[in-house]
Every structure is written in C-alpha cells, then in structure tokens.
C-alpha cells in the first residue's frame, strides 16, 4: 500500500533519514520505532508531505506522492496525528472533527452563503458523522468543550478523531500514547485495534514498547536515520542490532 | 419558563428603545446620515472581519478596496449613465478581483510582511486616485454622484437611503453568519488557528486565503460604493491610510470574529468621530486610544464585555437556584 524507496532527507549537514526503504501492506499495524532523534517524525513528515525528501520515492496505492502538498496527500487517503499536539485549539471539540471532514464534503462558498438544500443536507450528514466519531473515540460528552480545555489524553484522542473524519485508508500515529496513564494506554491499544479492524492501515510511532509489541504486526527500527532492523515483534526483540541501539539494555517489555 | 418571558421582555424593550431612537434620529437629516454611516462601516468592517477575525490574515490596506468600490461605481454611473444599482454591484466585483490579485502574493506571507504588503496596496490605490486627473479628477474629487434609484424612483433623502442600507446590512450579516457556520468558514478558522494542521487535514490553505481575501474585498468594496452614492462626492482624502486604520480600530473595539462586533465597533466609532468633528486633527490619537483600550482592557472588544456580563449573570442565577435547592433541602 505504501512503499518507501531509498528515502533520504538532509537538513544542512545532518542526514535525518538515510536511504530508508520499507513496504507497508494493506491492513497491517506497522510499528516504527527507534531512539529519540532517530528520524521517525521526520519520516512521517516526508510521507505526509510536510517535507519533500532530498532523494528517494514515496509511493502510495501505486501513485508517486513524493513531495506532494500535505492537503493533497490527505485527500488521497493518508491522515496523521502529531507528536506535538496540533489541534485547532480555540475551536470546539466537535468543530475540530467537522474540519476533519473537509475532504469528504464539497460545499463551496456560494452554496454555503446561500445555505442551499444540498449544503444543509451535507452539513447535517457531516455533523452526524462527526458525532459518531466522537462517540467512537469516547469524547461524545465533550463535544462543546473548547479543544484546549481537554486533558492531555483527551487531546490526543481528539487528534485521532479529527484524522478519522477524513476517512483515511492509512493512519499515521506519532506517539499517540505520550503523556497517557496505564489505563488510557490500554484503552488506546484497543481503539487502535478497532480502527485497524475497520480496514484502515496503521503506521505507528510509539516509545511504549509494551504497547508496540502487543499490537503491531510488523516493525521497522530506525537509528540515526538508518533502517537497522525489520520484522515481526518477536524477531525485533531478539535482534542484536536493535538491542545494541537501545543501549545494550534490551527492549523493556 | 419565567426566564424565557423575562428574556423576551428585555429583548422587546431593547427593540422598542432602538426603534424610538431611530425614529427620533430619522426626523433629523443629519442624524439619519449618521445611521447611514454606521451601516456602511458595518459592511466594510464585516469584510475586514472575514479576513482578519476569522482567517487570521491582517490587512492595513482595506481603504484601497473601499476606494475601488467607490470610484468604480461612481465613474460608471457618471460617465456612462448606468443605474447605480448595477454600478454598485460592478464596483463590488472589481474590488473582489483586486482582492484576488492582492491575495496571490499575500497568501504566501505572514504577519508583518503581510501588514507591509497591505499597507503598500492601500497606498498604491490612494496614489492612483490622487494622480490620475483625467480619470478621477485627482485631489479635487468627483462631485454630483447620482443617487441610487429603485424601479425608477431615486432615493433622495438620507432617511430613505438608511432603510436601503439597513436591508443590505442585514443581508450581509446573514450571509456572514451562514458562511462562518459552513465548511468554508470552518476552513477559514482552522487556517487562523493552525495553518499547518489545516494543510495536514486536507485544506488547501492558499486557496482559502484567496477566497477570504476575495470575500473581504468584495464587502469593503460594496461599502465604498454605497458610501459614494450616499455622500454624492468622493475625493482621495476619504481613502487615506487613516481609513484603513479606522476600519481596524472599529473591528478590534467592537470585537473580532463575532457576529455583532463590527456593527457595535462601527456604531461607537462613527458616533465618537462625529462628536469630535471639531477636533479632526486629533482623530489618529483617538483611534490610538481606542486600540490601547482594546490591548490593555478589552481583548475581545465590547462584545467580549457583553459576553462576560452575560456569563456572570448566568453564574449568579445558577448560584441562586443552587442556594434555593439547599434551602428547600433543609
Ligand atoms: N526541520 C528540521 N531542521 C533541522 N533538523 C531537523 C528538522 N527536523 C528534524 N531535524 C533533526 O532530525 C533528527 C530526527 O528528528 P525526529 O525525526 O524528530 O526524530 P524522532 O521523531 O525519531 O525522535 C533530529 O536530529 C532532529 O534534530
Ligand atoms: Mg518524533
């Protein structure tokens, strides 16, 4: 579904992502792990169009999407969340999800100003859909809250809700469990599984090894921008390169 | 139930009061003129609000769009004898086209660079209407601009023009509300709140900034055209940078990104400006004081105070019912 071919990006002298190749099959939960500064977020930024790679190709569903603008990539079916929460903080929780519906609705400026029948119909469909997504993400009772007033964990869930509203084929999650407590993490694992069960392919960056090892089907390990290992969770836990990269301490599971 | 009746009563009294004030004012030609100015500025500032308040794109050059609307409509009506009702619409469209032209470079800029570009635009329009003597009669301005006429009946009095303007203002406000509560309006606000996240969730940020500029310029252009046909005389003086600053002051003082903020801000500043007619040279100082008031005391303008009062009243009421409940419990 998503293929990376020798993707490289340089920031001045620093090679943040170095000749990374990977193939992510439709329907899997694919983990991307590595120490801080390994280049995981940068790789997300390349896939989602924030950065154009210095060299290499990103191919999604048979289409070359290398260097395409983020809004176009979202339109093609890749949606993401951010490591540093990036909500529309003064909008309500429901409005954040409504914005997420942008690519899956069509009303232009004139129908919106005139509130044509079609526009009103679309608006009520979109609202209904957004409320359902909030229910799915367990945020239904917070719909009228201003986004910045949510707790940290709730804000992370809202980011996922907003991303789901664009009906992605593939969802990129950048450290979705950061700042969550144990119970929240367990619920999150369950939610990610449920999203995956809907047929959405998931690319997951996460530092919580227990969570990663529990829910991913395949894992790719980055270190200093390079891919150092690839395999299923069991293989990764035994991999010598990986153990060494994590300071010889092995991976805490 | 009781509060509902009470609220209706309050609203009823407010409407009645406003109606009486308007009726009294309308008896005076001069006071009717002030009401007309309030409507015109409300429309212009609503335009600025769409761009600045909702989309987060600053403009200190809206006098340029105001001028384009005014001069386009005036020149077409005077030189070609066209009905002002049509020339006003054309003025609006020409202003919109200029909005789009400005937006192309502007959509790439942020903050102070955008301020500079819009200031430059306002200045360019001002220079243009000042120096093109043959077309615009330069600094002397254009006199005897024809009245708007509806079905062959010219609107001659300020009183009648006010009702015409009131209708247009109401329609503009209704359209603004529809726009803001739509997919397009949400895209605007998303861009203001977080352009990167907006881009990431599928919004073509550049396109929507251009749309916001177009809509904004169109409304301010409409206001300019309406102004020209009200006053019957335009000259470059009206379209100096001061005018852009005045629009911005009205918006900030009334309350940005609110439904009534532009109307309230326009009303207060038009009235204060009229009261200070004899102190014209201190106008800029006065606007500066208004801006300082906003910066230090009224971050959300007058509408912000109204909201604050309403919320504290509700809290008080809830406190009371709460107290009642505990009393009964005892
Ligand atoms: N825009 C940028 N400019 C310069 N360096 C960057 C930029 N983005 C990321 N980097 C660098 O690239 C490296 C990888 O960062 P990142 O992808 O955020 O790591 P991770 O998400 O794996 O912790 C870091 O050394 C970081 O400082
Ligand atoms: Mg990161």
């Amino acid at each position: 579904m998503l293929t990376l071919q020798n993707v490289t990006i340089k920031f001045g002298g620093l090679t943040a992502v170095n000749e990374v190749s990977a193939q992510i099959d439709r329907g899997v939960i694919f983990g991307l792990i590595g120490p801080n500064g390994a280049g995981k977020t940068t790789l997300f930024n390349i896939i989602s169009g924030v950065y154009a790679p210095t060299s290499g190709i990103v191919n999604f569903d048979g289409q070359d999407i290398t260097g395409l603008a983020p809004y176009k990539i979202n339109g093609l079916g890749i949606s993401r969340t951010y490591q540093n929460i990036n909500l529309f903080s003064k909008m309500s929780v429901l409005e954040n999800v409504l914005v997420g519906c942008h690519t899956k609705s069509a009303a232009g400026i004139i129908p919106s100003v005139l509130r044509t029948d079609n526009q009103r119909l679309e608006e009520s469909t979109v609202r209904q859909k957004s409320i359902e997504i909030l229910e799915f993400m367990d945020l239904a009772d917070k719909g009228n809250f201003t986004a910045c007033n949510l707790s940290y964990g709730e804000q992370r869930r809202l980011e996922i809700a907003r991303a789901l509203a664009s009906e992605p084929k593939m969802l990129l999650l950048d450290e979705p469990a950061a700042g969550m407590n144990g119970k929240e993490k367990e619920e999150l694992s369950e939610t990610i599984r449920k999203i995956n069960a809907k047929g959405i392919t998931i690319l997951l960056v996460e530092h919580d090894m227990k969570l990663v090892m529990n829910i991913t089907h395949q894992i790719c390990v980055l270190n200093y921008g390079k891919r150092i290992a690839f395999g299923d969770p069991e293989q990764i836990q035994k991999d010598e390169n990986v153990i060494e990269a994590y300071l010889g301490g092995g991976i805490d599971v | 139930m009781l509060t509902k009746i009470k609220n209706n009563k309050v609203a009823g009294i407010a409407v009645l009061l406003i109606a009486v004030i308007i009726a009294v004012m309308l008896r005076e030609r001069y006071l009717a003129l002030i009401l007309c100015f309030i409507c015109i500025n409300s429309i212009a500032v609503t335009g600025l609000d769409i761009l600045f308040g909702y989309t987060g794109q600053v403009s200190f050059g809206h006098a340029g769009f105001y001028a384009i609307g005014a001069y386009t409509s005036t020149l077409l009506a005077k030189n070609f004898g066209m009905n002002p009702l049509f020339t006003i619409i054309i003025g609006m469209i020409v202003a919109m086209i200029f909005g789009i032209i400005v937006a192309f470079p502007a959509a790439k800029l942020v903050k102070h660079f955008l301020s500079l570009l819009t200031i430059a635009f306002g200045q360019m329009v001002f220079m243009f209407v000042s120096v093109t003597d043959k077309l615009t009669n330069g600094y002397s301005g254009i006199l005897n601009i024809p009245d708007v006429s509806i079905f062959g009946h010219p609107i001659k009095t300020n009183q009648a023009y006010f009702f015409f303007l009131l209708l247009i203002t109401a329609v503009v406000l209704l359209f603004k509300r529809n726009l803001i509560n739509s997919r397009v309006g949400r895209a605007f606000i998303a861009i203001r709140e977080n352009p990167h996240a907006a881009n990431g969730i599928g919004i073509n940020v550049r396109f929507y900034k251009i749309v916001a500029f177009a809509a904004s310029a169109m409304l301010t252009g409409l206001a300019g055209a309406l102004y020209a046909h009200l006053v019957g005389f335009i000259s470059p003086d009206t379209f100096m940078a001061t005018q852009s600053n005045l629009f911005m002051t009205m918006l900030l003082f009334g309350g940005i990104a609110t439904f009534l903020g532009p109307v309230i801000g326009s009303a207060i500043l038009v009235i204060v400006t009229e009261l200070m007619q004899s102190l014209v040279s201190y106008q800029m100082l006065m606007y500066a004081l208004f801006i300082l008031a906003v910066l230090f005391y009224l971050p959300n303008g007058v509408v912000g105070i109204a909201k604050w009062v309403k919320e504290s009243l509700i809290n008080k009421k809830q406190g009371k019912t709460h107290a009642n409940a505990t009393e009964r419990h005892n």
Side-chain angles (χ1 to χ4, degrees), chain A residues 29-44:
Chain A
I29 303 180
F30 192 101
L32 184 62
I33 64 172
N36 271 326
K40 306 178 297 291
T41 299
T42 306
L43 195 58
F44 265 29

Side-chain angles (χ1 to χ4, degrees), chain A residues 70-71 74 79 82 86-91 98-100 102-103 105-109 112-115 119 123 162, chain B residues 175 178-179 181-184 186-190 192-194 196-205 208 211 215:
Chain A
Y71 75 89
N74 181 278
S79 224
Y82 299 85
N86 245 333
L87 289 168
F88 306 117
S89 47
K90 280 191 204 140
M91 294 175 98
L98 287 170
V99 172
H102 188 85
T103 53
S105 46
I109 186 161
S112 297
V113 164
L114 299 177
R115 282 181 74 69
Q119 191 266 354
E123 194 71 4
R162 181 179 66 185
Chain B
F175 282 0
N178 290 349
L179 178 65
N181 294 314
S182 75
R183 173 174 176 267
V184 178
R186 286 191 296 268
F188 288 168
I189 300 171
R192 177 193 75 195
E193 288 296 303
N194 193 330
H196 297 294
N199 193 349
I201 200 65
I203 293 168
N204 183 343
V205 173
Y208 281 97
V211 170

